[in-house]
Amino acid sequence: MELYGLLAVLFVLVPEWMAGSALVSFRDNRRGSDLPVTSMAWRRLPELRLAALDLAELRELGAQMRICGYGRLNRERLTARLLKRIKRQQGQLPRGSKGL
């Protein structure tokens, strides 16, 4: 039993510790943020921006955009209504303007 425990430590835990320390050193040497929030796709696609908001922020945006019944809608329906309104507004905006 003791031999099995020693083998488990040698073959399972030691490589896990080595991999964990290697990943930490890679992350420390990297420059920039973990997720590029201001990437072009994030700015261009309103779906990504809405996915980053929590429900309270979505409802606040619904109030700003005057969506009827925004307070009783669940996340999926509110997101769909917001996307529809944003895309309609983007169609009316001149080129180069930001809708959201």
Side-chain angles (χ1 to χ4, degrees):
M1 199 64 160
E2 292 175 13
L3 179 63
Y4 179 72
L6 179 64
L7 289 175
V9 167
L10 288 176
F11 290 117
V12 176
L13 295 179
V14 172
E16 287 290 328
W17 290 328
M18 290 171 52
S21 64
L23 289 175
V24 168
S25 68
F26 288 145
R27 185 176 35 201
D28 291 340
N29 291 333
R30 212 179 81 216
R31 292 186 181 94
S33 64
D34 289 338
L35 292 174
V37 183
T38 59
S39 69
M40 286 300 292
W42 192 82
R43 282 185 271 155
R44 191 175 62 240
L45 297 173
E47 293 90 350
L48 294 176
R49 297 181 88 178
L50 293 177
L53 300 176
D54 62 8
L55 187 57
E57 293 170 327
L58 285 172
R59 287 185 173 158
E60 185 178 322
L61 185 60
Q64 290 173 0
M65 298 185 84
R66 295 186 174 95
I67 294 190
C68 294
Y70 68 89
R72 72 177 194 283
L73 296 175
N74 64 12
R75 181 179 183 86
E76 291 80 22
R77 293 195 65 200
L78 182 57
T79 302
R81 301 248 333 249
L82 286 168
L83 281 173
K84 187 176 179 180
R85 177 75 54 97
I86 290 168
K87 289 182 179 185
R88 188 176 346 138
Q89 286 179 352
Q90 283 179 347
Q92 296 172 355
L93 293 174
R95 290 186 177 250
S97 298
K98 295 180 182 172
L100 181 64

